[in-house]
DNA sequence: GTGAAAGCGCTAACAT
DNA sequence: ATGTTAGCGCTTTCAC
């Protein structure tokens, strides 16, 4: 645990000033090439390592970006993280990641930690039960850029990166209608969360535009877990008449739903066509392969960090563009490709 | 962008010394309860936030743990991260996460960044092509605890957290034999990586112990990707005689392999029984459900951070226990449950 | 129980 | 192109 080498040590060794050493190490243009080389040589030879804290303390900048995510171990979120890390790393930023585990309390605590650690910016996908953004107030008032992605708060006009969930859900539902479905159920998530709320909206609009009645019974609200899929399927099996189309707000739940329905002897897509959401890897493993909405997680992560860094670098001088909407698209697979007989007459009587 | 409040401001406000404020804020016992309360009140009222850098600079400790992981977006690794984050967060540590993207170069760069950021400890799962640990030398020589998990370096006696891959693979292979398989193929990963190397070993030992010949042709080496599974399946389909059992070193690859084999008309498990590794969620979605080795990712993450923190707190005074081996176990599912006729006579002639 | 003084290692002004 | 000075905000002796 030998003593740490500092720029003073290097300065003394080379009989120059610490300032010059600092400049040299940071590739300041006003340092003679020769001197710079000497500095680098001495540094590596003496085993010097920069002290980020001293530097941060002085510069009041940390080169660190905080991320608060509901949970890390989901296919979607881990893709987002991967995209974020890649861009951040390339730009020389560190990523401090923390999970809210879907609770506001932890989200509040994490926000405070991030604030105290003086992250240069913060990226957040909010928890299920986050109903306001009070705990981010310190960031707003200190002018620390805060960017929400995917799960974003309502009302507040925060900067956010999203996909058009209404449109995506509308497309998915319309697709079911086009396949001949006339009795469609939507399995939704927590309606306090913007993404699920919007998907329900898109679902509703699509029904309306196709003159299919929307009733309370058209929606099953769940937590979209695997178990929820099983329960929802059981509930659906008790319906009479049975629906002929199901739009589920995420793939995970859709898949377990399919498994349960299949076990009950339902043929998919012929008896019921099903659409999921996310384009998780599992959609191409379940039989039949699941039609879903492709949802660009990795890209969302890249865009989020890139926007934040652009802002920090002063590139986007005005307040950041308010909302960035990424493209999403329907991926049609077997779970909705009805066979011949499915070519029903149009529902418009 | 108002000025930051410091302990000096609080001190002035309360007409006491900064020292006392510092002590108060840190719950130092030698501060009158009354004074402490006044300090906390003033702090929150004035909008004070601690400056972690100044503190770190002074204390030479960062309360930060670095993690270098091959990639974040894998089911296994994201579970590990989730476990790590949970324990770290509870203990008041921050996690700086970076990906090596399976290349030594990035791993080297990341290690340097972690070093310069003076993480209190480092957790690493090494990249495919990492052949030595030279780039971690600075950590060793500075006495910064470094803990490898899952993918650990060979030879070097570093502290590591693993499962017994040899045993797990042995169990998996033996299971195939018990199901009546006599011609078994192993689809392996990069053999430079300990986990795949060990799984191959376990496979080999199991064959030997059951008097099944092991030849070069018994192993197909791949990168274990989805595409690799398809290619491996195609290769297997050309074999004559066809094997009746396959042990694949990860689930992802096993699943795409199954899909390809099924398309070719192979019946699983009756024609070929298949075992995977990891117990990813997909194993319960593929049909037939995949027999696999349950691999405790989340737990591994928890244990890794907990061990590191124990060490940092001086709890485990001696050098850390050298290797922590977590339990892993075979989960039998349909992909290896041969139907009646599979009750072949024992191979021992 | 509280305070004064010094310094962690770096960099930004301001010289020269 | 290089040096001098000062200070970022905190904690830690040491003193009272």
């Amino acid at each position: 645990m030998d003593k740490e080498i500092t720029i003073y040590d290097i300065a003394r060794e080379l009989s120059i000033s610490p300032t010059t050493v600092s400049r040299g190490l940071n590739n300041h243009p006003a340092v003679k090439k020769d001197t710079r080389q000497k500095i680098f040589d001495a540094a590596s030879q003496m085993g010097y390592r920069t002290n980020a804290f001293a530097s941060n303390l002085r510069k009041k900048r940390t080169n660190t970006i905080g991320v608060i995510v509901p949970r890390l171990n989901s296919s979607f979120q881990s893709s987002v993280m991967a995209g974020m890390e890649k861009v951040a790393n390339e730009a020389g930023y560190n990523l401090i990641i923390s999970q809210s585990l879907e609770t506001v309390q932890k989200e509040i605590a994490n926000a405070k930690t991030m604030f105290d650690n003086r992250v240069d910016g913060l990226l957040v996908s909010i928890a299920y039960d986050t109903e306001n953004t009070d705990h981010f107030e310190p960031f707003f008032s200190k002018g620390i850029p805060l960017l929400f992605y995917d799960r974003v708060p309502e009302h507040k006009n925060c900067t956010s990166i999203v996909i058009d969930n209404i449109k995506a859900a509308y497309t998915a539902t319309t697709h079911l209608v086009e396949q001949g479905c006339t009795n469609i159920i939507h399995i939704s998530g927590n309606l306090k969360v913007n993404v699920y709320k919007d998907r329900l909206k898109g679902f509703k609009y699509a029904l309306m535009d196709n003159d299919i009645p929307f009733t309370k019974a058209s929606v099953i609200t769940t937590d979209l877990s695997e178990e929820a899929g099983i329960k929802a399927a059981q509930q659906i099996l008790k319906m009479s008449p049975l629906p002929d189309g199901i739009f589920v707000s995420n793939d995970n739940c859709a898949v377990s739903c399919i498994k349960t329905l299949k076990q009950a002897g339902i043929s998919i897509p012929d008896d019921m066509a099903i659409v999921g959401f996310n384009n998780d890897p599992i959609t191409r493993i379940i039989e039949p392969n699941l039609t879903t909405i492709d949802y660009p997680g990795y890209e969302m992560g890249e865009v989020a960090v890139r926007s934040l860094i652009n802002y920090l670098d002063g590139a986007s001088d005005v307040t950041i563009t308010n909302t960035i909407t990424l493209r999403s698209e329907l991926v049609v697979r077997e779970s909705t490709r009805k066979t011949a007989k499915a070519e029903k007459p149009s529902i418009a009587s």
Side-chain angles (χ1 to χ4, degrees), chain A:
Chain A
M1 241 131 312
D2 26 308
K3 196 186 152 298
E4 292 280 349
I5 305 294
T6 74
I7 53 170
Y8 288 97
D9 298 320
I10 299 180
R12 201 176 319 115
E13 184 74 18
L14 263 41
S15 306
I16 55 178
S17 83
T19 313
T20 306
V21 177
S22 171
R23 286 203 266 254
L25 256 15
N26 290 301
N27 290 309
H28 188 108
V31 175
K32 236 197 313 196
K33 233 176 163 209
D34 182 36
T35 318
R36 187 205 317 282
Q37 193 51 52
K38 258 190 245 153
I39 294 170
F40 273 111
D41 289 348
S44 75
Q45 186 253 307
M46 296 170 74
Y48 167 82
R49 67 164 162 167
T50 173
N51 185 328
F53 300 108
S55 170
N56 287 337
L57 176 59
R58 188 62 234 242
K59 289 194 295 191
K60 308 194 164 215
R61 203 158 188 279
T62 66
N63 262 261
T64 298
I65 294 173
V67 184
I68 301 179
V69 66
R71 5 185 47 99
L72 280 165
N73 47 346
S74 96
S75 170
F76 173 72
Q77 287 290 0
S78 64
S79 298
V80 176
M81 292 299 110
M84 287 182 173
E85 195 282 335
K86 178 155 167 289
V87 176
N89 196 317
E90 284 170 3
Y93 280 81
N94 287 126
L95 231 47
I96 298 193
I97 298 176
S98 72
Q99 309 180 92
S100 66
L101 299 175
E102 301 287 12
T103 70
V104 222
Q105 301 110 281
K106 276 212 78 187
E107 189 174 288
I108 293 172
N110 291 342
K112 185 169 160 21
T113 307
M114 295 294 179
F115 190 68
D116 287 345
N117 276 278
R118 285 173 160 66
V119 292
D120 289 340
L122 186 63
L123 302 169
V124 182
S125 194
I126 63 179
Y128 267 150
D129 55 347
T130 299
E131 305 208 317
N132 62 58
T133 54
D134 293 352
H135 46 304
F136 297 118
E137 210 33 70
F139 290 89
F140 293 130
S141 58
K142 270 257 152 43
I144 299 165
L146 171 51
L147 212 143
F148 293 94
Y149 67 92
D150 192 46
R151 300 243 212 106
V152 307
E154 303 273 278
H155 309 307
K156 263 282 193 190
N157 57 340
C158 321
T159 309
S160 51
I161 300 186
V162 291
I163 58 164
D164 186 338
N165 284 287
I166 299 182
K167 189 173 127 221
Y170 186 94
T171 307
T173 310
T174 304
H175 170 69
L176 284 172
V177 174
E178 283 165 1
Q179 297 303 301
C181 300
T182 56
N183 183 2
I184 309 176
I185 296 290
H186 175 44
I187 301 180
S188 172
N190 187 331
L191 291 173
K192 283 194 250 164
V193 179
N194 68 307
V195 294
Y196 303 124
K197 193 177 190 174
D198 283 353
R199 289 174 202 172
L200 170 56
K201 263 190 207 159
F203 170 73
K204 201 188 273 185
Y205 295 164
L207 291 196
M208 283 164 52
D209 288 355
N210 286 282
D211 301 317
I212 299 179
F214 171 85
T215 67
K216 282 238 162 109
S218 307
V219 182
I220 301 177
T221 303
T222 72
D223 65 359
L224 293 178
S225 65
E226 213 177 307
E227 304 77 53
I230 297 170
K231 275 194 205 147
Q234 288 163 344
Q235 198 173 330
I236 285 170
L237 287 167
K238 284 190 207 125
M239 292 179 176
S240 149
L242 284 177
D244 54 6
I246 306 175
F247 166 45
V248 190
S249 250
N250 87 12
D251 288 334
N252 210 17
C253 183
V255 162
S256 73
C257 189
I258 290 181
K259 280 168 69 179
T260 311
L261 292 174
K262 275 172 69 181
Q263 273 165 25
I266 302 287
S267 160
I268 294 166
D270 292 332
D271 295 338
M272 291 184 200
I274 302 190
V275 182
F277 209 108
N278 267 30
N279 201 14
D280 275 359
I282 48 169
T283 56
R284 284 172 322 184
I285 291 164
I286 185 74
E287 290 181 26
N289 280 193
L290 184 61
T291 293
T292 190
I293 297 289
D294 184 48
Y295 198 4
Y298 193 88
E299 195 186 333
M300 193 174 271
E302 292 181 310
V303 171
V305 172
R306 199 166 294 132
S307 312
L308 194 61
I309 292 179
N310 276 344
Y311 177 80
L312 290 170
D313 291 350
S316 47
D317 359 75
V318 208
T319 20
I320 319 184
T321 333
N322 217 69
T323 302
I324 298 175
T325 306
L326 300 182
R327 56 127 199 87
S328 63
E329 61 185 345
L330 182 72
V331 179
V332 178
R333 299 210 182 90
E334 288 74 48
S335 74
T336 56
R337 276 200 202 107
K338 299 229 182 200
T339 42
K341 69 161 180 153
E343 306 291 333
K344 293 188 191 174
S346 157
I347 29 162
S349 66

